[in-house]
């Protein structure tokens, strides 16, 4: 079974390096263009099922990638981005220049404590693990050759990859935050997940550059 993991297209808040979290921010024109181009590139790939975060930026990305094809898209709240609580919408520069432990979001995940009302990394890792084990892996038993697309969010996908790649929160970001409309491909053999392809431009540098301005 193959799983294509994709981050949504860009939004205005992405362009401004603001933390979106569970805020329902729509794609901007560039985000729609990115999703459309990815859809064109993947047009010849057969997918049996598509899962999406219920947030509009992910769902619209999934719709644009799907294009004309008759493939069911299932919106699942378990794929919603991590909440950043009272700091949703705050620019990254303000996060890193504060004295609060939320400033360690990218630099030291083990020290990260979310803002008031926000979700911990541990919680996100646990809910994504349950989604994979209870929703995705059972598909293998009925359709071992199935190919599935999953469209969600940067931090949410990093949490899921802790399980898929079998590593801890200390390496939460792996090779870096996935770029918008970049995909990572996994194969599941009924026992373990293996990464077979990854396109990642390490977009953490966008936030790092913003913080220095």
């Amino acid at each position: 079974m193959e799983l294509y993991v994709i981050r949504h297209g860009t939004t205005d808040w992405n362009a401004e390096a603001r933390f979106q979290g569970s805020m329902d921010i729509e794609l901007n024109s560039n985000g729609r263009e990115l999703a459309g181009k990815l859809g064109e590139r993947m047009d010849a790939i057969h997918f049996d099922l598509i899962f999406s975060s219920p947030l509009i930026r992910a769902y619209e990305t999934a719709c644009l990638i799907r294009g004309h094809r008759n493939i069911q898209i299932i919106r699942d709240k378990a794929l919603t981005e991590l909440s950043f609580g009272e700091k949703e919408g705050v620019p990254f520069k303000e996060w890193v220049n504060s004295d609060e432990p939320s400033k360690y979001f990218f630099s030291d995940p083990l020290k990260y404590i979310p803002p008031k009302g926000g979700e911990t990394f541990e919680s996100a890792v646990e809910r994504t693990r349950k989604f994979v084990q209870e929703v995705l892996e059972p598909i293998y038993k009925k359709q071992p050759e199935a190919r599935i697309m999953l469209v969600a969010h940067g931090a949410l996908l990093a949490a899921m990859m802790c399980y898929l790649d079998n590593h801890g929160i200390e390496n939460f970001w792996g090779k870096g935050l996935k770029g918008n409309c970049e995909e990572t491909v996994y194969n599941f053999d009924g026992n373990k997940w293996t990464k077979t392809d990854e396109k990642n431009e390490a977009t953490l540098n966008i936030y790092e550059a913003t913080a220095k301005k």
Side-chain angles (χ1 to χ4, degrees), residues 153-188:
H153 310 270
L156 184 285
L157 294 178
M160 182 178 291
M161 288 177 182
C162 285
Y163 174 71
L164 296 178
D165 292 333
N166 191 30
H167 62 70
I169 291 173
E170 71 280 355
N171 190 32
F172 186 83
W173 295 107
K175 295 180 180 179
L177 176 66
K178 287 185 63 62
N180 297 100
C181 285
E182 290 183 348
E183 76 269 22
T184 301
V185 184
Y186 289 89
N187 180 267
F188 182 61

Side-chain angles (χ1 to χ4, degrees), residues 83-205:
S83 170
F84 301 127
E86 63 184 15
K87 283 198 171 184
E88 301 239 327
V90 170
F92 177 67
K93 185 175 182 179
E94 291 185 25
W95 278 60
V96 297
N97 290 328
S98 76
D99 293 325
E100 299 176 19
S102 58
K103 70 180 181 180
Y104 297 112
F105 184 71
F106 285 127
S107 62
D108 194 343
L110 289 176
K111 293 183 179 179
Y112 174 71
I113 298 176
K116 184 178 180 180
E119 182 179 15
T120 65
F121 284 156
E122 290 82 0
S123 171
V125 169
E126 176 61 16
R127 69 177 165 98
T128 53
R129 179 194 63 77
K130 288 181 63 177
F131 176 82
V132 174
Q133 290 184 336
E134 297 176 6
V135 178
L136 296 184
E137 292 180 358
I139 295 173
Y140 177 85
K141 296 179 180 179
K142 296 181 179 180
Q143 295 178 269
E145 301 302 320
R147 183 177 290 117
I148 301 166
M149 183 193 306
L150 188 152
V151 184
H153 310 270
L156 184 285
L157 294 178
M160 182 178 291
M161 288 177 182
C162 285
Y163 174 71
L164 296 178
D165 292 333
N166 191 30
H167 62 70
I169 291 173
E170 71 280 355
N171 190 32
F172 186 83
W173 295 107
K175 295 180 180 179
L177 176 66
K178 287 185 63 62
N180 297 100
C181 285
E182 290 183 348
E183 76 269 22
T184 301
V185 184
Y186 289 89
N187 180 267
F188 182 61
D189 64 3
N191 293 302
K192 66 177 181 178
W193 292 90
T194 303
K195 186 181 297 180
T196 59
D197 189 26
E198 182 173 37
K199 295 176 176 61
N200 191 303
E201 300 299 330
T203 53
L204 282 177
N205 57 12

